[in-house]
Amino acid sequence: MDRREFVKGIAAAGTFGATAPWVGKSALEREEDLFQISLSQWGFHRAILGNARDNYSEFIKTLNTNPDGVLKGYLDSRDIVVKAKEFGVGTVDLVNILWFGHARDEPWLDEFKRRAEAAGVGFGVLMCDQTGLIGARAKEDRKASIELHKEWFEAAAYLGCPYLRVNPYGEGNYLQQCRQCAESLKELGDLSADFGLEVLVENHGHPGSNGAWLAMLMEMADHPRVGVYTDFDNFFMGGWGLVPERRYDRLQGLLDLAPYTRSVSAKSHDFGPDGEETTIDYNQCLRTVLDAGFRGLASAEFEGDRLSEQEGSRLTAELLKRERKKLKSAYS
């Protein structure tokens, strides 16, 4: 039996997500939990990559020719599970470019699973970058992008992730990109069933940072295994260096995306002495998605520069815990 058939066999047996304690819970149990907190691997990208991204074009070249060559930091990407344990968080969300050469490296993946089991931590969302344009103009380019995603479906399933995050990147005008992305998402959604996964699309630049466009894409794709991975802060619409930058309104974006949201990236940038995020109203963000029925994973993802990744990630996780405690009675 080849690896793909092995993975599909596990999916058919219904054993995916066994390491993630929130997967497969009843509606009542999920309601009581309100939402589960995860820790984003991206929050430690400097610790993992070091200065590899300082020259971005060289970073991308090395990533695709010698992927381990970009790992110039002090932290093994698999030790994100140790960080999660330190913060009292039971799930980690992963980013493929932090271990780009190991999608089909079973010994490496087995060691990752061993470390996770030792830490008592499960896997949540696997975020995929550098996998082509699912909304490319040419059908053959869209097919090529879907092929590039397949090894990450395998890796996500092998680790026990229930979700694979994809980017809604494409070519053409807004309507053309929406149609092209929707076509690919239907195929990716069908493919995800082979692995017991769901496909999540993030507001992550390009038209996807426009909440109305991404909501329209969800309606156009109309697939039960396709939803949104909503980032609290990825509504930048261009204009680097401009004052003000062009941004889609955050609250409007959250309202647009909340009905389709299955996981959220609780982005943070900085904290005050009281432990509150200084740029994002977490309570408002969480209430917006909870009001629409969200009861999934909220990923603590620190992106700031003033605090260390360790401290910023810890404060983000602690903030989510406090907000969950405050909100629990309102949504019980």
Side-chain angles (χ1 to χ4, degrees), residues 11 38-39 65 78 105 119 145 148 171 206 247 250 286 292 302 307:
S38 57
L39 179 66
T65 56
R78 291 170 292 189
D105 183 348
S145 178
L148 288 173
E171 297 171 317
H206 299 242
R247 286 185 174 272
R250 178 186 288 116
L286 288 167
F302 179 67
L307 299 172

Side-chain angles (χ1 to χ4, degrees), residues 86-107:
E86 289 176 10
F87 301 152
V89 173
T91 306
V92 293
D93 292 332
L94 308 176
V95 182
N96 70 336
I97 63 171
L98 300 179
W99 43 283
F100 204 63
H102 299 285
R104 288 175 169 150
D105 183 348
E106 290 188 24

Side-chain angles (χ1 to χ4, degrees), residues 114-156:
R114 187 199 65 76
R115 295 185 195 188
E117 184 177 354
V121 172
F123 299 101
V125 181
L126 171 54
M127 292 172 266
C128 290
D129 296 305
Q130 296 300 309
T131 45
L133 303 178
I134 67 169
R137 284 191 183 89
K139 190 175 185 66
E140 58 267 29
D141 292 336
R142 299 197 294 274
K143 290 289 186 183
S145 178
I146 290 170
E147 286 298 316
L148 288 173
H149 282 87
K150 285 184 178 179
E151 65 175 346
W152 297 107
F153 274 111
E154 293 176 9

Side-chain angles (χ1 to χ4, degrees), residues 133-262:
L133 303 178
I134 67 169
R137 284 191 183 89
K139 190 175 185 66
E140 58 267 29
D141 292 336
R142 299 197 294 274
K143 290 289 186 183
S145 178
I146 290 170
E147 286 298 316
L148 288 173
H149 282 87
K150 285 184 178 179
E151 65 175 346
W152 297 107
F153 274 111
E154 293 176 9
Y158 197 73
L159 289 173
C161 298
Y163 302 117
L164 190 85
R165 185 275 267 156
V166 304
N167 289 313
Y169 296 167
E171 297 171 317
N173 62 38
Y174 264 27
L175 183 56
Q176 289 168 332
Q177 291 191 55
C178 200
R179 287 171 174 161
Q180 290 152 193
C181 284
E183 178 186 299
S184 294
L185 285 173
K186 289 176 187 291
E187 291 192 45
L188 289 168
D190 289 344
L191 181 63
S192 72
D194 291 343
F195 299 97
L197 301 171
E198 294 181 15
V199 175
L200 302 184
V201 185
E202 185 177 0
N203 51 314
H204 195 217
H206 299 242
S209 287
N210 180 310
W213 182 89
L214 186 48
M216 183 171 66
L217 174 60
M218 288 300 100
E219 291 295 323
M220 197 172 287
D222 190 24
H223 196 289
R225 287 186 173 270
V226 175
V228 173
Y229 181 63
T230 299
D231 189 295
F232 286 171
D233 197 46
N234 277 356
F235 294 106
F236 175 74
M237 296 295 296
W240 290 110
L242 295 181
V243 181
E245 296 174 335
R246 296 195 301 276
R247 286 185 174 272
Y248 195 85
D249 181 78
R250 178 186 288 116
L251 179 56
Q252 183 60 55
L254 292 173
L255 288 167
D256 292 338
L257 301 180
Y260 314 98
T261 296
R262 302 187 187 180

